Amino acid sequence: MAMTAAQEAAFKAASGNLEPSGMHLLCLGLLIGFLFFWAAWAIVDVWSGWSSDRVKSAAMGRAVVRTVLLLVVSIWMFCS
């Protein structure tokens, strides 16, 4: 639903003259950046466990699939 002119003016006044679309892009960028950072951390953590034989290959595969699925679904839901 689109914002009315009064709502847009109030948003700009409260946000320091930032457009709503700019705030939307900023929030999406932060979300996607955080998700990729978390995914890299998760895969590196699972990789270090797998390389030292503390994590089985099947568990590593499941972790990678879950991480990639989380990224794909999040990008599809929030960036489309």
Side-chain angles (χ1 to χ4, degrees):
M1 183 154 97
M3 293 172 54
T4 65
Q7 290 172 328
E8 202 164 323
F11 183 86
K12 282 184 177 181
S15 67
N17 205 23
L18 183 66
E19 294 285 331
S21 62
M23 181 63 83
H24 177 73
L25 285 177
L26 176 68
C27 290
L28 279 179
L30 289 173
L31 173 69
I32 298 302
F34 174 76
L35 284 175
F36 273 98
F37 180 74
W38 178 87
W41 171 80
I43 289 176
V44 166
D45 194 40
V46 170
W47 174 264
S48 67
W50 179 77
S51 65
S52 64
D53 291 330
R54 289 180 291 163
V55 175
K56 296 180 181 178
S57 294
M60 181 180 172
R62 285 192 304 269
V64 169
V65 167
R66 287 178 182 169
T67 302
V68 169
L69 190 61
L70 172 73
L71 289 173
V72 168
V73 169
S74 296
I75 290 171
W76 172 69
M77 286 180 62
F78 297 111
C79 294
S80 61

